[in-house]
């Protein structure tokens, strides 16, 4: 899902501004939470969404997530695939299909 071009663009953006010095794991995690809140705010009072605003806030969340993965030395695709594998074990298709029940209640 993440392309080499995207990774390079994010790294270059940060490097050109010398912002890497501020990107400790803790700061990046806080930034993800802040931007996630802004994404949630898109639907705070209504289910009607502005797709352009949602797209912009989602981009911020994803950018900080890429930066955190990069800082930790993790490949974002590998992180997602490993989690999907773990979650697949918790939610077997035959038990979870069409249900929103938590895994320990299936």
């Amino acid at each position: 899902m993440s392309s080499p071009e995207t990774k390079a663009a994010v790294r270059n953006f940060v490097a050109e501004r010398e912002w890497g010095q501020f990107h400790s794991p803790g700061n990046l995690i806080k930034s993800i939470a802040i931007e996630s809140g802004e994404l949630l705010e898109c639907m705070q009072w209504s289910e009607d969404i502005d797709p352009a605003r949602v797209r912009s806030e989602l981009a911020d969340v994803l950018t900080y997530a890429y930066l955190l993965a990069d800082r930790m030395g993790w490949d974002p695709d590998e992180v997602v695939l490993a989690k999907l594998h773990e979650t697949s074990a918790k939610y077997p298709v035959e038990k979870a299909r069409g249900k929103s029940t938590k895994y320990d209640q299936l």
Side-chain angles (χ1 to χ4, degrees), residues 28-86:
L28 293 168
I29 290 168
K30 287 181 260 188
S31 295
I32 292 168
I34 291 164
E35 295 299 339
S36 294
E38 291 179 12
L39 178 60
L40 181 59
E41 190 177 39
C42 292
M43 298 187 70
Q44 184 173 9
W45 304 113
S46 172
E47 291 296 313
D48 296 328
I49 63 168
D50 174 355
R53 187 169 170 219
V54 169
R55 181 182 173 106
S56 177
E57 297 303 339
L58 178 59
D60 290 340
V61 172
L62 291 171
T63 298
Y64 280 117
Y66 279 127
L67 289 168
L68 177 60
D70 195 48
R71 176 57 58 138
M72 300 301 293
W74 301 331
D75 179 271
D77 292 335
E78 290 177 12
V79 170
V80 170
L81 291 174
K83 183 64 177 182
L84 280 174
H85 180 73
E86 179 183 317

